[in-house]
């Protein structure tokens, strides 16, 4: 049974993301759409088995903009829609998001933005609460899994009450922290929606937009009033001293533990906030009026702080507001950082335990044994060396970004999803170097196609290598348009990347199997020569199932994998395997090069890499 | 109680965190288990924070405050021993998984022990991986380590309680070997105590 299903009253230890999924079904969700991205992914994943039982709709969309539009379509037809993405996904969906701020919705629309303070698995720490402010879309941020569930239900109800979308802003430590969650009632879903035509609401022509802008502002100020009674905003403690703290989202948890640590629970007043935009003016005024100095504790940007300072000035309240003077603006918080900030704010001493960093080898993530991406990089590097081109590698985002590491060092840029192909065209215009765009399959569907079209339209001499492992691997194996299966597990039509490239008009399109080294190097060299000669794009699709998935399938089927060993009588210890291929299963042990059978999955590529044929199959 | 569990992606660190978290939940505690997903799982270093008590506010433990460290791998144990408070306890698997980076020097178990010894903590090195291999599946190392913690009485769970939790979280096919792993770990932990 789905983890998030169960009777009212049951308590389960759920991830924050699962709690949001539970909240969505308690709110009677009709349509949920998302694009995978850490730390948001488990929300859609938890909804999938529940959707099979309850009958609502869930999809993995091609990108976040599409996901948001699918959910929006349901919401403007009077149903409840949920759109799920990681913080940078909202950049992709921003165009739609900003417009929703004007139109509002008719049913319920909750947009989950899972932010990633600390960049645990992202390219930036951007704070999407600012997006809410930018678009006049209210933001709710829970502090723990139980609250994440409750906030989701409240968000849907508020969304309908005020005809506005709501952003549910999570962070890694909410999304990926388990906590006890008490299940509530499941509300009945509506059956079918009905889109009611009204151009003055849904057609953003200037004549309508100007009026909708005014309405959006009115809507936000009524919500600011409503938020003073929002159940997750409250004055948790009021003490006789003149000092207080306002803590938003996850920061509330750190503040309470820090106060406990500093023995200040009965000295400082605390206002807990779950709505960083708009701030609940009345509640905040009543809190500030009883105090002389207030510290605002929030992760990343001073979103609450700026609004509170604005309120203080407008209302003429005499209170000193502090925030980012003491609370770090980068990285995630913890109770020690917050205790330090509070102590400084109060002029107290706090000396945390000294923490030494030990000098140990780092353990960055690496390509798994058998990963086809490793073989593809090996092939590209060989072809580039043979063709003697001065390559610049415009990389993209996915497992294959690990090509930045030695021994390949074949990722010179990585900005955001889909940017490899566009950047390669800029390099082509600007330099005499040889631009190679490396892009994953899911990334290609997500944001690569318009750029590839540009390379034909504005004839650009670039080599595009698609790292096609048939799945969205980095985020945990979600299917995409090339996989042949939908989120709900139904058979879907497979869209072949090579067919798209051909249809666009690319004149050199070849598919290689990266497990076949020599043949692939030959084709890669042809592709380079083609680009040099014709000054137009070539596309090589390097296609081979993700090794983790292939391996799991083999294990499940009960078949055994091929075994390889290094014949020590033949091995010259030239270390070509380790220094140019770097599979974690090949290691030096007792001064011999060996294959660790705990790790090897039998892809057999290293056998082709060894110049002395010392790697042999166990027969 | 504040517990840090660490190891290498693929060793079952997250699963162990979930099992421990559920044991605490069964005992009626408020619980948080803070995990990290995504890229770090590709053979990278994995750190899970488990907190249990009357009422838990913050999701994570700050360095210098953990009561117990369970390390499924030696280098990671040494890397995160700084999470322990003074007089905390560390249980470390006698297993080194070398980070697969060309040209780095790999610390030996002795190097690892030297790092741990610098700290004012009580430490136990155990052959959890060997025990798991003997049972027939290296992947139960995590549950062997849990057993050791029980055997050492560093976690307040009854065996039966853990078995109940294992039943809900481990696929049927692997349940038996996991229970045997738990028991083998408990024996290993008790052996240390009686020594
Ligand atoms: C706009 C945006 N959405 C989502 C993500 C999260 N994300 C990082 S890599 C990736 C997918 C990569 O899949 P693919 O291109 O197939 O490469 P693979 O990991 O399979 O090698 C995703 C979804 C992101 N970084 N940016």
């Amino acid at each position: 049974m789905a983890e998030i299903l169960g009777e009212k009253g049951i308590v389960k230890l759920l991830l924050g993301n699962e709690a949001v999924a539970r909240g969505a079904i308690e709110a009677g969700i009709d349509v949920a759409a998302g694009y995978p991205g850490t730390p948001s992914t488990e929300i859609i994943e938890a909804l999938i088995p529940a959707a099979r039982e309850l009958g609502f709709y869930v999809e993995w969309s091609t990108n976040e903009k599409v996901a948001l539009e699918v959910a929006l379509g349901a919401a403007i037809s009077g149903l409840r829609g949920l759109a799920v993405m990681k913080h940078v996904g909202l950049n992709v969906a921003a165009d739609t998001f900003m417009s929703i701020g004007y139109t509002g919705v008719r049913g319920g629309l909750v947009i989950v933005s899972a932010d990633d303070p600390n960049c645990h698995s992202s390219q930036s720490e951007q704070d999407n609460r600012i997006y809410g402010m930018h678009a006049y879309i209210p933001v709710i941020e829970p502090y723990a899994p139980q609250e994440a569930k409750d906030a989701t239900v409240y968000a849907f109800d508020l969304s309908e009450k005020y005809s506005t979308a709501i952003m549910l802003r999570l962070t890694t430590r909410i999304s990926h922290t388990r906590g006890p969650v008490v299940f509530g009632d499941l509300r009945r879903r509506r059956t079918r929606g009905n889109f009611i035509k009204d151009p003055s609401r849904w057609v953003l022509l200037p004549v309508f937009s100007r009026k909708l802008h005014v309405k959006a502002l009115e809507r936000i100020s009524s919500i600011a009033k409503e938020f003073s009674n929002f159940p997750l905003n409250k004055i948790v403690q009021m003490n006789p001293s003149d000092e207080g703290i306002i803590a938003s989202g996850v920061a509330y948890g750190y503040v309470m533990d820090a106060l406990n640590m500093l023995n200040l629970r009965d000295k400082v007043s605390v206002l807990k906030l779950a709505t960083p935009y708009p701030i609940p003016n009345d509640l905040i005024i009543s809190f500030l009026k009883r105090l002389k100095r207030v510290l605002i504790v929030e992760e990343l940007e001073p979103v609450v702080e700026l609004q509170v300072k604005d309120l203080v000035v407008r209302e003429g309240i005499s209170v000193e507001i502090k925030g980012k003077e003491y609370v770090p603006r980068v990285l995630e918080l913890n109770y020690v950082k917050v205790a330090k900030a509070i102590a400084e704010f109060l002029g107290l001493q706090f000396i945390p335990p000294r923490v030494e960093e030990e000098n140990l080898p780092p353990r960055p993530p690496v390509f798994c044994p058998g990963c086809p991406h490793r073989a593809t990089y090996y092939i590209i590097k060989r072809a580039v060396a043979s063709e003697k081109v001065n390559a610049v590698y415009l990389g993209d985002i996915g497992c294959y970004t690990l090509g930045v590491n030695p021994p390949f060092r074949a990722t010179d840029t990585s900005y955001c999803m889909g940017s490899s192909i566009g950047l390669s065209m800029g390099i082509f215009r600007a330099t005499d170097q040889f631009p190679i765009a490396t892009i994953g399959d899911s990334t290609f569907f997500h944001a690569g196609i318009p750029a590839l079209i540009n390379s034909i339209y504005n004839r650009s001499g670039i080599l595009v290598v698609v790292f096609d492992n048939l799945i969205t691997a980095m985020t945990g194996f979600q299917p995409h348009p090339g996989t042949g299966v939908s989120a709900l597990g139904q058979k879907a039509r497979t869209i072949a990347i090579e067919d798209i490239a051909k249809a666009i008009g690319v004149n050199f399109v070849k598919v290689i199997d990266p497990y076949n080294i020599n043949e692939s190097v030959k084709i890669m060299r042809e592709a380079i020569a083609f680009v040099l000669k014709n000054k137009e794009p070539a596309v090589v699709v390097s296609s081979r199932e993700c090794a983790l998935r292939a391996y799991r399938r083999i294990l499940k089927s009960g078949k055994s994998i091929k075994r390889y060993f290094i014949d020590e009588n033949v091995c010259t210890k030239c270390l070509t395997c380790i220094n140019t291929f770097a599979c974690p299963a090949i290691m030096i042990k007792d001064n011999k090069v060996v294959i660790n059978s705990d790790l090897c999955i039998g892809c057999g590529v290293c056998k082709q890499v060894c110049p002395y044929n010392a790697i042999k199959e166990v027969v | 109680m504040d517990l840090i569990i660490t190891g290498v992606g693929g060793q079952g660190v997250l699963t162990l965190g979930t099992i421990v978290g559920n044991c605490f939940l069964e005992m009626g505690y408020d619980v948080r288990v803070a995990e990290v997903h995504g890229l770090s799982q590709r053979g990278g270093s994995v750190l899970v924070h488990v907190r249990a008590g009357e009422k838990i506010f913050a999701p994570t433990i700050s360095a210098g405050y953990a009561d117990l460290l369970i390390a499924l791998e030696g280098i990671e144990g040494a890397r995160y021993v700084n999470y322990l408070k003074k007089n905390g306890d560390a249980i470390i698997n006698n297993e080194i998984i070398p980070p697969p980076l060309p040209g780095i020097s790999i610390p030996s178990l002795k190097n690892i022990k030297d790092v741990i010894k610098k700290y004012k903590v009580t430490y136990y090195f155990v052959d959890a991986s060997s025990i798991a291999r003997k049972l027939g599946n290296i992947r139960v190392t995590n549950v062997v380590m849990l057993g050791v913690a029980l055997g050492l009485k560093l976690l307040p769970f009854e065996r039966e309680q853990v078995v109940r939790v294992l039943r809900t979280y481990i696929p049927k096919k692997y349940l038996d070997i996991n229970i045997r792993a738990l028991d083998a770990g408990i024996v290993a932990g008790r052996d240390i105590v009686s020594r």
Side-chain angles (χ1 to χ4, degrees):
Chain A
M1 193 177 72
E3 184 71 6
I4 61 166
L5 289 179
E7 299 287 301
K8 180 180 178 170
I10 291 183
V11 182
K12 277 196 195 176
L13 195 65
L14 293 189
L15 281 177
N17 279 346
E18 294 167 336
V20 169
R22 173 70 196 187
I25 63 172
E26 287 184 11
I29 179 78
D30 300 288
V31 171
Y35 181 75
T38 315
S40 72
T41 312
E42 298 79 7
I43 298 174
I44 294 288
E45 286 186 331
L47 284 171
I48 290 167
R52 290 204 195 99
E53 292 201 27
L54 301 176
F56 62 91
Y57 177 76
V58 183
E59 72 169 40
W60 286 122
S61 312
T62 29
N63 66 34
E64 292 85 354
K65 182 174 191 293
V66 176
L68 178 54
E69 287 154 359
V70 169
L72 172 65
I76 65 176
S77 306
L79 298 188
R80 290 193 158 187
L82 179 75
V84 181
M85 58 202 71
K86 71 180 289 173
H87 58 344
V88 291
L90 192 56
N91 301 334
V92 177
D95 215 355
T96 310
F97 185 78
M98 296 303 290
S99 292
I100 296 171
Y102 275 38
T103 64
V105 296
R106 189 160 72 82
L109 178 62
V110 174
I111 301 162
V112 177
S113 167
D115 295 8
D116 190 17
N118 236 55
C119 297
H120 288 286
S121 27
S122 311
Q123 67 264 43
S124 84
E125 297 192 286
Q126 74 180 49
D127 186 334
N128 277 6
R129 297 177 303 168
I130 294 174
Y131 259 123
M133 212 177 209
H134 200 11
Y136 313 119
I137 291 179
V139 182
I140 302 180
E141 53 173 351
Y143 98 92
Q146 173 73 49
E147 247 195 41
K149 195 215 76 173
D150 298 340
T152 308
V153 181
Y154 292 136
F156 273 109
D157 291 348
L158 272 172
S159 170
E160 279 190 12
K161 181 169 172 193
Y162 288 92
S163 303
T164 177
I166 302 274
M167 180 197 289
L168 182 66
R169 191 248 190 177
L170 310 173
T171 53
T172 301
R173 295 305 185 181
I174 302 299
S175 288
H176 287 163
T177 295
R178 286 174 200 281
V181 174
V182 186
F183 286 10
D185 267 329
L186 294 194
R187 280 192 233 162
R188 194 194 295 274
R189 284 193 305 120
R190 295 152 209 198
T191 40
R192 298 300 289 164
N194 176 33
F195 177 74
I196 300 166
K197 299 184 186 192
D198 181 356
S200 71
R201 275 194 78 182
W202 312 122
V203 180
L204 288 176
L205 278 172
V207 53
F208 300 130
S209 297
R210 291 181 197 116
K211 295 196 180 102
L212 289 170
H213 191 176
V214 177
K215 269 191 151 171
L217 284 165
E218 287 166 4
R219 200 161 51 221
I220 270 297
S221 59
S222 6
I223 292 167
K225 287 205 184 75
E226 164 102 29
F227 274 168
S228 284
N229 299 314
F230 189 64
L232 306 180
N233 288 338
K234 57 173 178 277
I235 296 176
V236 205
Q237 56 186 54
M238 211 64 219
N239 287 309
S241 82
D242 291 334
E243 278 113 357
I245 293 174
I246 299 178
S248 191
V250 71
Y252 168 67
Y254 300 127
V255 163
M256 295 308 274
D257 274 342
L259 290 177
N260 283 332
M261 227 162 81
L262 298 167
N263 288 322
L264 291 173
R265 269 301 283 283
D266 54 357
K267 301 230 166 53
V268 181
S269 302
V270 176
L271 170 60
K272 166 188 178 306
L273 214 57
T275 62
Y277 174 75
I279 55 167
N281 290 343
D282 298 341
L283 180 67
I284 290 189
I285 292 168
S286 78
F287 185 69
L288 298 180
K289 282 201 166 150
R290 289 140 87 177
L291 299 164
K292 293 214 170 72
R293 297 182 68 235
V294 170
L295 177 69
I296 296 182
V297 185
E298 57 192 319
E299 242 167 20
L300 300 179
E301 298 302 314
V303 172
V304 172
E305 184 181 333
L306 292 180
Q307 293 174 83
V308 170
K309 282 178 173 164
D310 178 51
L311 184 69
V312 165
V313 173
R314 271 191 291 128
E315 296 287 320
I317 306 169
S318 66
V319 59
E320 186 186 1
I321 305 292
K322 295 283 179 195
K324 291 297 162 188
E325 296 90 337
Y326 302 116
V327 181
R329 190 167 171 165
V330 298
L331 303 182
E332 64 185 4
L333 297 177
N334 59 38
Y335 51 72
V336 163
K337 290 184 190 178
V338 171
K340 252 195 217 153
I342 295 174
E344 269 179 49
F345 167 71
L346 296 173
L348 303 174
Q349 269 269 15
F350 168 68
I351 303 163
R354 239 191 42 215
V355 177
E356 314 265 353
E357 294 286 325
E358 296 300 336
N359 183 19
L360 292 159
R363 194 189 297 278
V366 291
F367 291 127
C368 307
C371 176
H373 295 341
R374 174 184 295 104
T376 305
Y377 276 117
Y378 178 82
I379 290 159
I380 296 175
K381 293 290 288 214
R382 282 247 316 249
V384 162
S386 304
E387 292 299 315
K388 300 194 176 57
V389 286
N390 179 8
V392 179
Y393 299 96
L394 295 313
D396 223 299
I397 302 207
C399 287
Y400 51 95
T401 313
L402 296 174
V404 67
N405 291 326
F408 303 112
R409 300 185 213 268
T411 297
D412 297 318
T413 63
S414 173
Y415 277 76
C416 54
M417 285 188 76
S419 60
S420 57
I421 300 178
L423 267 168
S424 69
M425 291 182 278
I427 299 286
F428 171 70
R429 293 296 161 207
T431 75
D432 295 322
Q433 289 156 296
F434 187 81
I436 302 181
T438 55
I439 184 168
D441 43 351
S442 190
T443 307
F444 180 81
F445 290 112
H446 175 284
I449 297 170
L452 190 61
I453 292 175
N454 192 68
S455 76
I456 293 294
Y457 174 51
N458 293 306
R459 187 169 177 160
S460 306
I462 58 169
L463 170 59
V464 177
V465 182
V466 184
F467 287 59
D468 181 14
N469 56 5
L470 310 176
I471 205 83
T472 319
M474 187 155 117
T475 44
F477 317 120
Q478 296 75 26
H480 62 59
T483 309
V485 55
S486 74
L488 287 165
Q490 281 139 356
K491 203 170 153 46
R493 281 187 49 185
T494 307
I495 301 166
I497 294 165
E498 57 276 19
D499 291 350
I500 295 177
K502 285 179 197 155
I504 287 172
V506 179
N507 285 320
F508 185 107
V509 180
K510 291 269 167 79
V511 180
I512 60 172
D513 174 1
Y515 278 10
N516 186 342
I517 297 285
N518 287 339
E519 175 67 15
S520 297
V521 171
K522 204 178 117 235
I523 293 173
M524 198 66 80
R525 290 185 61 176
E526 286 167 20
I528 295 173
F530 176 88
V531 174
L532 285 174
K533 174 151 175 267
N534 300 296
K535 301 275 182 286
E536 64 172 81
V539 172
V540 176
V541 182
S542 184
S543 191
R544 173 55 85 160
E545 186 181 21
C546 166
L548 281 180
R549 300 240 311 161
Y551 182 54
R552 282 181 200 169
R553 226 196 23 256
I554 292 171
L555 283 189
K556 248 196 176 155
S557 71
K559 286 195 205 131
S560 58
I561 55 167
K562 287 188 182 173
R563 291 280 170 207
Y564 292 86
F565 73 103
I566 297 179
D567 184 341
E568 58 175 297
N569 299 319
V570 182
C571 176
T572 66
K573 297 197 195 124
C574 70
L575 302 186
T576 300
C577 53
I578 291 184
N579 292 336
T580 71
F581 195 62
C583 174
I586 304 180
M587 46 183 71
I588 300 173
K589 208 169 185 178
D590 306 328
N591 209 20
K592 278 185 234 159
V593 187
V594 295
I595 293 179
N596 178 339
S597 59
D598 279 350
L599 297 175
C600 176
I601 68 156
C603 73
V605 177
C606 58
K607 182 171 185 278
Q608 305 167 55
V609 168
C610 176
Y612 298 97
N613 298 320
I615 303 181
K616 299 178 176 169
E617 196 178 330
V618 179
V619 281
Chain B
M1 155 148 211
D2 286 339
L3 160 67
I4 292 284
I5 306 174
T6 182
V8 176
Q11 279 196 301
V13 179
L14 298 191
T15 309
L16 182 54
T18 307
I19 292 167
V20 171
N22 274 287
C23 291
F24 278 121
L25 184 68
E26 264 215 345
M27 298 175 74
Y29 288 112
D30 191 7
V31 183
R32 297 288 185 278
V33 183
E35 311 175 347
V36 169
H37 296 201
L39 193 59
S40 54
Q41 282 174 287
R42 300 279 173 273
S45 121
V46 180
L47 181 70
V48 172
H49 306 235
V50 184
R51 310 194 67 204
E54 241 1 76
K55 165 93 189 141
I56 304 293
F57 287 104
T60 54
I61 302 162
S62 291
Y65 288 90
D67 302 293
L68 173 62
L69 169 81
I70 298 182
L72 305 192
E73 196 273 342
I75 300 175
E76 298 315 309
R79 195 186 318 280
Y80 294 118
V81 65
N82 59 12
Y83 268 80
L84 282 177
K85 65 180 187 194
K86 217 196 240 171
N87 301 325
D89 296 288
I91 311 175
I92 297 150
N93 184 13
N94 271 329
E95 174 91 350
I96 303 269
I97 302 178
L101 299 175
I104 55 165
S105 71
I106 307 296
S108 64
L109 255 181
K110 181 176 174 308
N111 300 145
I112 298 298
K113 285 184 185 170
D114 289 341
V115 170
I116 309 275
K117 277 181 194 164
K118 290 195 310 191
Y119 288 75
K120 281 210 172 61
V121 297
T122 314
Y123 54 86
Y124 309 91
F125 280 84
V126 290
D127 291 324
S129 292
S130 319
I131 295 175
R133 276 195 201 96
K134 266 187 218 136
L135 290 170
N137 192 342
I138 181 77
R139 299 187 62 175
V140 299
T141 305
N142 56 354
V143 175
V144 174
M145 290 293 284
L146 175 58
V148 173
L150 261 63
L152 286 166
K153 299 215 176 315
L154 292 174
L155 283 173
F157 314 141
E158 299 294 334
R159 174 189 180 275
E160 298 317 314
Q161 187 193 352
V162 179
V163 170
R164 266 201 307 277
V165 171
L166 287 177
R167 268 184 222 289
T168 13
Y169 283 89
I170 303 287
K172 260 212 177 82
K173 205 168 120 188
Y174 297 110
L175 184 61
D176 178 59
I177 188 166
N178 273 281
I179 294 175
R180 281 188 288 130
L182 179 70
D183 288 333
I186 293 175
V187 170
R190 284 192 190 137
D191 276 358
I192 299 175
V193 179
S194 60
R195 245 184 274 144

